[in-house]
Amino acid sequence: MALFPFCKTPTGALRMSRIHLLLYFLLLSLVIYFLHGRKAGANMRSPHPYFRSMEAAIGREKTAMVDAASPQAPLQTPWGAPLVWGDTRTSVKRRTEFAEGEVRIGLLTLVVGKYSQFVRRFVSSAEDYFLPSQKVTYYILTEKAHTFDPPMKLGPGRQLKVVPVAEFPGWDRLVYRRMTLLADTIKDQIGKNVEYIFCADVDQEFVAPVGEEILGDLVATLHPELYGKPRKELPYESYWGSSAYVEDNEGDYYYTSELYGGLVPQVYRLARSCSMLIQKDHAGGLMARGREESYLNRYLVAHRPSCVLSPEYSWWDSGRAADVPVKRLVSLGRQCEAFDAEKREKHRC
């Protein structure tokens, strides 16, 4: 059989036209190219194991980067309320939504006795980080009218109002009256002047942005030392005779009294209810072991907050505090409590 079908005999090969020969080689080239292409395509779809492992490693690294950008924690409570971390997409979206309009917000704190040493640092740090693009009024409840002599310089749309309160002889007495003072101030001094009110301990410092992501109807902040702990380790009031008593089958989180707030009517109801519970126990010679924080948690067990702030918004370096991506509000007072004698002296606690 002839190798080339166009060449029937040696003499016939001489008569074969050059065109036929050219067409034959062109056809043969197309067949070879087609077969090679299919093999190459198969190799592309099924790369060498080394390259497959490299692709998998790169994919894992990208996933890890995405995960690292968001906290390794729930973004929602069991009852569907947002659990706020400042740098999540949800928080960024909330800040963007509020950026188009202005909201009137109050920041209320009680300044008595030795706590007057913290007030200027508190307000100054709030000027830098607490809702800087919004109208904020600082309500300072104090027994010392000269606390702000000379006056502090505030930014546009920010103002400070001093609310005089009677002098208290001691901290123990103040514990019984604080919630009553907050409720009375909200009712008589604040009213409808602001839409949202936040209550904060004055011995704190804002160290990173706290924006519109914190706004909600009723807002509570997770206790940094108790976040993630099982229910049996949460220090709810356990004495059944106290008005702050929480049963074993109640409760989801334990909240700090360092920062809480929300819409003015909601916070007024909270402060008023806690005040009544405290006064009831006081009349019976009782005080919950966590003081007003116990009564706050009793109220929030019965009236779950619509917005829960992560420990980013209340933190101190105690060795037991939860790790957080960003520390935004630091409690100087509780941090001092966590220090040993040497560190207390060093930090002038």
Side-chain angles (χ1 to χ4, degrees):
M1 180 177 178
L3 180 60
F4 301 109
F6 295 114
C7 305
K8 297 182 180 179
T9 63
T11 55
L14 294 175
R15 293 192 301 267
M16 187 182 74
S17 77
R18 293 181 179 180
I19 296 175
H20 289 170
L21 187 60
L22 182 60
L23 289 173
Y24 176 83
F25 279 109
L26 180 60
L27 179 62
L28 185 62
S29 299
L30 289 172
V31 171
I32 294 173
Y33 179 83
F34 174 75
L35 293 175
H36 179 74
R38 288 186 62 183
K39 184 177 180 181
N43 288 337
M44 289 178 67
R45 289 190 295 271
S46 181
H48 189 279
Y50 171 78
F51 293 105
R52 287 201 301 270
S53 64
M54 285 292 290
E55 289 176 359
I58 292 171
R60 287 193 300 269
E61 183 176 354
K62 287 181 178 179
T63 301
M65 289 174 66
V66 171
D67 291 343
S70 59
Q72 298 300 311
L75 300 180
Q76 196 175 68
T77 67
W79 60 93
L83 204 166
V84 179
W85 304 82
D87 290 336
T88 60
R89 292 187 182 93
T90 303
S91 293
V92 173
K93 182 180 178 181
R94 287 277 288 170
R95 290 193 289 270
T96 302
E97 290 172 351
F98 278 97
E100 300 176 358
E102 290 184 335
V103 183
R104 295 170 299 143
I105 301 160
L107 183 58
L108 186 156
T109 190
L110 181 62
V111 183
V112 296
K114 66 178 183 179
Y115 288 91
S116 60
Q117 65 179 306
F118 295 105
V119 68
R120 285 184 173 269
R121 176 190 272 187
F122 175 78
V123 174
S124 177
S125 67
E127 280 292 281
D128 291 333
Y129 295 115
F130 183 75
L131 293 146
S133 62
Q134 299 295 342
K135 293 183 177 180
V136 174
T137 301
Y138 303 102
Y139 294 95
I140 311 298
L141 282 64
T142 183
E143 59 192 359
K144 299 178 180 179
H146 61 277
T147 298
F148 290 98
D149 292 336
M152 293 185 67
K153 185 178 180 180
L154 305 177
R158 323 273 281 196
Q159 58 180 323
L160 187 148
K161 293 186 177 181
V162 175
V163 180
V165 297
E167 186 173 352
F168 289 90
W171 174 256
D172 290 340
R173 179 114 177 245
L174 176 61
V175 169
Y176 293 105
R177 290 285 298 156
R178 189 207 297 258
M179 283 294 185
T180 301
L181 283 172
L182 297 182
D184 290 346
T185 301
I186 292 171
K187 179 182 178 182
D188 301 332
Q189 302 286 337
I190 298 175
K192 297 182 180 179
N193 293 325
V194 297
E195 298 165 61
Y196 295 89
I197 185 72
F198 284 85
C199 305
D201 284 358
V202 72
D203 56 345
Q204 299 184 91
E205 182 178 12
F206 292 92
V207 295
V210 174
E212 291 84 354
E213 72 275 5
I214 72 169
L215 300 180
D217 291 358
L218 180 61
V219 183
T221 307
L222 296 176
H223 195 294
E225 292 183 338
L226 299 169
Y227 173 65
K229 300 292 185 183
R231 167 62 182 83
K232 64 181 180 180
E233 294 183 23
L234 302 182
Y236 293 119
E237 177 56 44
S238 58
Y239 175 55
W240 63 268
S242 171
S243 298
Y245 174 63
V246 175
E247 296 185 16
D248 291 340
N249 62 347
E250 293 183 298
D252 304 282
Y253 301 107
Y254 194 86
Y255 304 99
T256 178
S257 59
E258 300 283 322
L259 179 70
Y260 54 92
L263 291 171
V264 170
Q266 291 273 9
V267 181
Y268 172 73
R269 282 194 286 270
L270 179 152
R272 189 64 182 165
S273 296
C274 289
S275 172
M276 293 174 66
L277 295 177
I278 292 171
Q279 296 306 318
K280 180 181 177 181
D281 275 6
H282 183 43
L286 297 174
M287 172 53 72
R289 63 171 176 168
R291 299 177 180 263
E292 66 207 51
E293 196 168 77
S294 292
Y295 298 95
L296 174 68
N297 274 275
R298 172 63 266 178
Y299 183 87
L300 293 172
V301 166
H303 306 82
R304 284 170 163 170
S306 62
C307 179
V308 175
L309 305 183
S310 72
E312 289 185 343
Y313 299 88
S314 179
W315 194 88
W316 54 89
D317 186 8
S318 67
R320 294 181 296 170
D323 291 330
V324 295
V326 181
K327 304 171 186 67
R328 301 180 186 278
L329 181 59
V330 174
S331 173
L332 305 174
R334 295 216 193 189
Q335 187 150 314
C336 280
E337 291 176 4
F339 286 154
D340 56 27
E342 183 179 346
K343 285 187 176 180
R344 287 184 183 181
E345 183 177 352
K346 179 181 177 181
H347 291 271
R348 294 180 293 177
C349 293

